[in-house]
Amino acid sequence: MKFARILLLFALYINLNDATIRFTNLKCETFNKDFLTFKECNLKVISRGIIGLNVHGNIWQLPISNMSINLSLFKKLSGYKPFLYNISVDLCKFFKNPKKYPFIELYHRVIVKESNINHTCPYNHDLIVKDLVLNENKFKYLPLPRGEYRFDLKGGVNNDWKGEVKAYVDVSSDL
C-alpha cells in the first residue's frame, strides 16, 4: 500500500514537471527598412528540448523618444484566431509607470532579463533579445491552456508602425 502511494506521488510529480512551453517558430518583418532592419531573428537550440529566441533589431534613426507597441495573442483553432487580448501602449509611458499597465508588465517580466528593453525613453541603441527561454515560471500569473499560440509584437515610432515580431509557441500541458 505504501509503495502504491509513493508510485502515485512519483507519477504525479513527473506529470507536473512535464508541462512544457517552447518556441516553435519566429518571424520578423520590417515595414520601413530605412528605420529598422533585423540583424538577427532566429530560434536556437540551447540544449535538448530548450529553445532560445534571439532578435536583434538595428535602428537607423536614433534617438527614439516616442515609441509605441501593440501586443496581441492568437490561438490556433483552424488557423490563428484572436485570443484574450490585443493591447497598444506608449512604451515610454509604460516604463515611467509599469503598474498602470499590468497586462503589458506581465510580458515585460518574461523578456526583461534577456533583453536591453528595460529603461525609459529615449532609446539610443539597437533593441536586442538574446537567448530568451520560456518556462512555466514565467507564466505563473498568466496561465495558458494547452495549445498552439502566436504572440505578435508590433513596434512603432511617432504613430507609424516600423516592424513586427511573431513568436509561435506550443504549450503541451495546461500551465
Side-chain angles (χ1 to χ4, degrees):
M1 185 69 164
K2 187 174 183 178
F3 179 73
R5 285 184 185 170
I6 292 172
L7 190 59
L8 178 63
L9 288 173
F10 182 71
L12 288 172
Y13 174 78
I14 289 173
N15 286 337
L16 288 174
N17 288 324
D18 279 348
T20 57
I21 180 169
R22 64 185 179 94
F23 292 109
T24 57
N25 198 4
L26 180 67
K27 295 179 182 177
C28 299
E29 183 180 0
T30 299
F31 305 142
N32 182 345
K33 291 186 191 252
D34 293 333
F35 186 86
L36 169 72
T37 57
F38 288 101
K39 178 179 179 181
E40 185 176 18
C41 179
N42 61 46
L43 298 177
K44 179 175 82 172
V45 177
I46 296 174
S47 66
R48 185 177 179 197
I50 299 174
I51 298 170
L53 175 141
N54 295 297
V55 174
H56 184 145
N58 290 103
I59 300 173
W60 302 109
Q61 298 174 19
L62 295 172
I64 298 173
S65 57
N66 181 352
M67 182 185 269
S68 300
I69 61 166
N70 175 268
L71 185 62
S72 51
L73 176 65
F74 296 83
K75 185 170 183 179
K76 190 171 185 181
L77 304 162
S78 301
Y80 285 95
K81 309 287 185 205
F83 179 76
L84 201 58
Y85 67 90
N86 180 356
I87 299 173
S88 294
V89 66
D90 182 318
L91 196 61
C92 302
K93 288 182 182 176
F94 166 74
F95 280 119
K96 286 180 182 173
N97 188 4
K99 301 285 185 206
K100 188 174 177 183
Y101 308 95
F103 210 74
I104 300 293
E105 185 181 18
L106 287 174
Y107 287 94
H108 182 253
R109 285 184 197 168
V110 171
I111 69 166
V112 69
K113 290 182 182 175
E114 290 85 8
S115 76
N116 68 347
I117 308 168
N118 55 9
H119 61 83
T120 59
C121 296
Y123 275 86
N124 291 313
H125 53 76
D126 294 345
L127 302 177
I128 301 169
V129 178
K130 183 79 173 155
D131 293 334
L132 172 63
V133 175
L134 298 180
N135 59 43
E136 299 80 34
N137 293 337
K138 291 189 177 187
F139 287 88
K140 63 184 175 185
Y141 297 112
L142 183 68
L144 292 173
R146 71 182 59 174
E148 295 177 46
Y149 296 89
R150 186 182 83 207
F151 291 89
D152 291 3
L153 176 65
K154 196 183 308 183
V157 175
N158 298 323
N159 297 320
D160 183 27
W161 297 119
K162 303 297 184 183
E164 179 175 44
V165 175
K166 294 180 180 185
Y168 296 80
V169 174
D170 180 49
V171 178
S172 65
S173 295
D174 293 337
L175 296 177

